[in-house]
């Protein structure tokens, strides 16, 4: 029976065998066939459909779709509810699965699949090497492009086929998350020369369904079966997830100093500033060294006193452990999360000994106050006072020694009284002006056994409950961070729309190539769904390897992770390091991230990145990971993106400017090849602007993106022969704007305040003019360049 159809797609369900097919109506070919339905709580009775409802639905977020809802009779009165939504433009398919419980006893659903072993790419895969896949792991999952059609992944999955006859990029993924994490599996189907695809929801505890309940949660699955470009198709998927979850991660347009890292001898090595007074002084120091001229500065307080049971020693102090981190009596600030306990453990210090005093002082200095909680570690006295807030209402193992960060007694984030306490905690911090919170060890809240006060909810729903109260309390311009690198909660996207960033690496103050690959291959989610925090960076240690390496780390972290956490106090950084750091901030706020153009060419770690700011403006990064040898790049301008080319129009013409080396690369035709020799450990940041017939800006030395952030309203007036715009000026620093004259001659520079000057670039007298602007005050400033 035909269920639902648009101009492009049709979905048909076969009652006799319980499978469905998705057909491309234009080519009359099956895109997905033989797909079954699966639920661990029941099995459908083939041959009948007990209820059908059709509708055309106008969703305010996703748009209009044609929908069908089937009820399929199952064993013991457990009927499957299967809903399909088909969108016209683009031709996207959404699926979800639930239960209508007509039986007598509650059942718990732990696994379900709205598409089980469906055949895609039927007859198209004649050799395994024609197919590659990219997994969609979150957190510390080490994403990779792998050759061959065998793969499984949480969150989402790309299946990319390229043959002489067909190029197809199929993307499947979780769209919304309420009760289940989403997993995707593909296996080769050699007889049919295709791939078997399964979409599955899984949860360790599962969702309890009561008799009489129509259970159909907001757990939608996304299928794009007609994609061509892996870049565009994955970006389309992320944009749908963003809209469906109303995800709008607050951009980290500033760097953040972590008080813990900056204070620890084996990391930042500075004086102890992990208290409110220390962080207010940090902002005063940032003002003294001039950094606050460039950007706001986040400061993260880390109230991380651990209870004594987290070590083999009953008395942490007697064992020589840092008393600022360990509590001998096992009473800490965790769970209480209030001014009194943060004062008691030395993190709130006079005169900034309340959340309001601290946050007000930080914000008055141009800072952003961020705090920290341990998601599962409980204070001994809190657990004694509120045993009902603990999982299973059980504190019998409170005194037992545990290893690492896996205590035996943890909070129950489904408990109504504990949730009321959390609501009060976050509202109090929000009223005080705190703008962010980092959740450490959230895997402690990924509970895989019984004990929830709310016995209906799943592990996934309970885990989401850790975060869902925070943003409404702290406000939309707040920063909620989830540490996500413990395999217990396997690298999931279930917090999308609730948190702004995921920490994806263990404690470190350095960089690894794996960080680059991991974040680069999530470009479609970065800034769109999450920022990815690769943990702290010690810029002093990094700079010891040379300035090229320092600039490499700064550039790459900016481009591919969208957040920079500093392991140093700002006051510890020398002038040259501060200068390079200042080129990154304020960071751009748009949800756009560079594509790793060579990701599908067989490389392990992408080295060619294209941040398309507009159709006529690209920022290109060329990365050399080798610390000894130079790397040669040969990049066609008019080739295909998937082949590591730039896909620019062959009849176009481009100005290319090198930011860090501050020199022109030249004027290239769309038919040319970009040739660059990149030094060992260097990243080369090139700005490519389509050449105009009049003077135009091609670069600026103020910001890594060479004009995107610091320049606005740049226009050419052909009648007055004037190029004008507005600069976000930095007091006391001369900004140089590079202008391609394109045949014209400069006659003068005018600035709203301060001093403006111009000079032609030696060796490029007929091509480029440098416009210098110096002012003694910050803020937007209008400038004009006159031409004859």
């Amino acid at each position: 029976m035909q269920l639902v159809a648009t101009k492009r797609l049709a979905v048909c369900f076969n009652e006799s065998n319980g499978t469905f097919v998705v057909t491309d109506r234009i080519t009359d070919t099956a895109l997905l066939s033989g797909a079954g339905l699966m639920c661990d709580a029941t099995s459908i009775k083939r041959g009948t459909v007990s209820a059908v409802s059709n509708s055309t639905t106008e969703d305010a977020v996703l748009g209009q779709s044609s929908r069908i809802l089937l009820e399929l009779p199952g064993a013991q009165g457990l009927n499957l509810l299967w809903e399909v939504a088909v969108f016209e433009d683009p031709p996207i398919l959404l699926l979800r699965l639930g239960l209508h419980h007509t039986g007598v006893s509650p059942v718990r659903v732990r696994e379900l699949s709205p598409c089980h072993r469906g055949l895609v790419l039927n007859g198209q895969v004649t050799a395994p090497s024609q197919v590659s896949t990219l997994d969609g792991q979150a957190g510390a999952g080490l994403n990779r492009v792998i050759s061959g059609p065998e793969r499984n992944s949480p969150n989402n999955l790309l299946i990319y086929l390229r043959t002489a006859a067909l190029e197809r990029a199929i993307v499947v993924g979780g769209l919304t998350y309420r009760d289940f994490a989403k997993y995707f599996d593909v296996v080769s189907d050699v007889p049919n020369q295709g791939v078997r695809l399964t979409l599955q929801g899984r949860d360790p505890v599962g969702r309890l369904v009561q008799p009489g309940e129509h259970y159909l949660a907001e757990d939608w699955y996304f299928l794009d079966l007609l994609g061509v470009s892996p870049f565009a198709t994955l970006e389309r998927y992320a944009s749908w997830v963003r809209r469906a979850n109303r995800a709008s991660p607050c951009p980290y347009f500033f760097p953040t100093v972590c008080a813990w890292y900056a204070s620890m001898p084996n990391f930042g090595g500075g004086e102890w500033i992990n208290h409110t007074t220390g962080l207010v002084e940090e902002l005063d120091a940032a003002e003294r060294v001039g950094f606050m001229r460039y950007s706001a500065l986040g400061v993260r307080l880390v109230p991380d006193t651990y209870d004594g049971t987290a070590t083999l020693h009953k008395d942490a102090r007697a064992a020589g452990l840092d008393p600022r981190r360990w509590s001998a009596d096992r009473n800490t600030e965790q769970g209480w999360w209030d001014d009194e306990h943060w004062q008691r453990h030395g993190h709130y210090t006079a005169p900034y000994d309340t959340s309001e005093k601290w946050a007000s002082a930080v914000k008055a200095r141009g800072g952003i106050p961020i705090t920290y909680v341990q998601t599962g570690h409980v204070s001994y006295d809190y657990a004694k006072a509120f045993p009902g807030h603990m999982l299973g209402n059980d504190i019998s193992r409170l005194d037992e020694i545990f290893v690492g960060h896996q205590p035996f007694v943890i909070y129950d984030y489904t408990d109504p009284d504990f949730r009321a306490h959390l609501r009060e905690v976050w509202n109090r911090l929000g009223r005080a002006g705190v703008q962010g919170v980092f959740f450490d060890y959230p895997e402690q809240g990924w509970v895989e056994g019984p004990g929830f006060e709310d016995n209906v909810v799943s592990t996934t729903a309970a885990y989401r409950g850790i975060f869902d109260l925070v943003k409404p309390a702290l406000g939309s311009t707040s920063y909620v961070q989830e540490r996500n690198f413990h395999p217990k909660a396997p690298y999931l996207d279930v917090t999308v729309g609730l948190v702004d960033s995921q920490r994806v690496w263990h404690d470190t103050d350095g960089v690894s190539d794996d960080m680059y690959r991991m974040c680069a291959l999530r470009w479609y989610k970065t800034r769109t769904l999450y920022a990815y925090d690769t943990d702290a960076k010690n810029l002093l240690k990094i700079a010891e390897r040379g300035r090229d390496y320092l600039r490499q780390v700064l550039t790459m972290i900016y481009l591919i992770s969208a957040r920079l956490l500093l392991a140093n106090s700002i006051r510890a950084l020398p002038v040259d390091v501060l200068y390079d750091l200042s080129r990154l901030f304020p960071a751009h706020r748009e949800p756009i991230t560079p594509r790793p153009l060579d990701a599908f060419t067989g490389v392990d770690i992408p080295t060619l990145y294209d941040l398309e700011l507009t159709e006529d403006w690209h920022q290109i990064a060329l990365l050399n990971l080798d610390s000894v040898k130079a790397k040669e790049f040969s990049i066609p301008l008019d080739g295909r993106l998937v082949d590591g080319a730039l896909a620019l129009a062959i009849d176009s013409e481009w100005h290319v400017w090198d930011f860090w080396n501050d020199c022109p690369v030249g004027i290239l035709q769309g038919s040319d090849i970009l040739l660059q020799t990149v030094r060992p450990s260097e990243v080369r940041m090139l700005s490519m602007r389509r050449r105009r017939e009049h003077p135009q800006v091609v670069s600026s030395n103020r910001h890594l993106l060479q004009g995107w952030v610091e320049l606005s309203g740049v226009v050419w007036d052909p009648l007055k022969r004037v190029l004008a715009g507005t600069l976000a000026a930095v007091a006391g620093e001369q900004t140089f704007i590079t202008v391609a004259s394109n045949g014209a001659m400069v006659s003068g520079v005018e600035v709203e305040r301060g001093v403006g000057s111009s000079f032609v670039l030696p060796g490029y007298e007929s091509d480029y003019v440098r416009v210098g602007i110096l002012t003694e005050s910050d803020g937007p400033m209008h400038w004009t360049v006159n031409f004859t």
Side-chain angles (χ1 to χ4, degrees), residues 307-316 319 321 326 401-402 404:
D307 62 53
T309 58
T311 175
L312 297 178
H313 305 281
K314 288 273 188 175
D315 188 336
L321 298 170
W326 297 90
I401 300 297
F402 61 88

Side-chain angles (χ1 to χ4, degrees), residues 200 245 397 511:
Q200 188 177 49
N245 293 278
R397 303 185 69 183
V511 179

Side-chain angles (χ1 to χ4, degrees), residues 299-312:
V299 288
R300 185 167 79 189
L301 182 69
V302 183
D304 65 334
T305 304
Y306 292 84
D307 62 53
T309 58
T311 175
L312 297 178

Side-chain angles (χ1 to χ4, degrees), residues 43 268 367 670 707 718 737 780:
S43 57
I737 301 169

Side-chain angles (χ1 to χ4, degrees), residues 160-175:
Y160 179 54
L161 171 74
R162 188 173 180 185
T163 69
L166 181 67
E167 184 178 15
R168 181 64 49 81
I170 295 174
V171 169
V172 293
L175 183 73

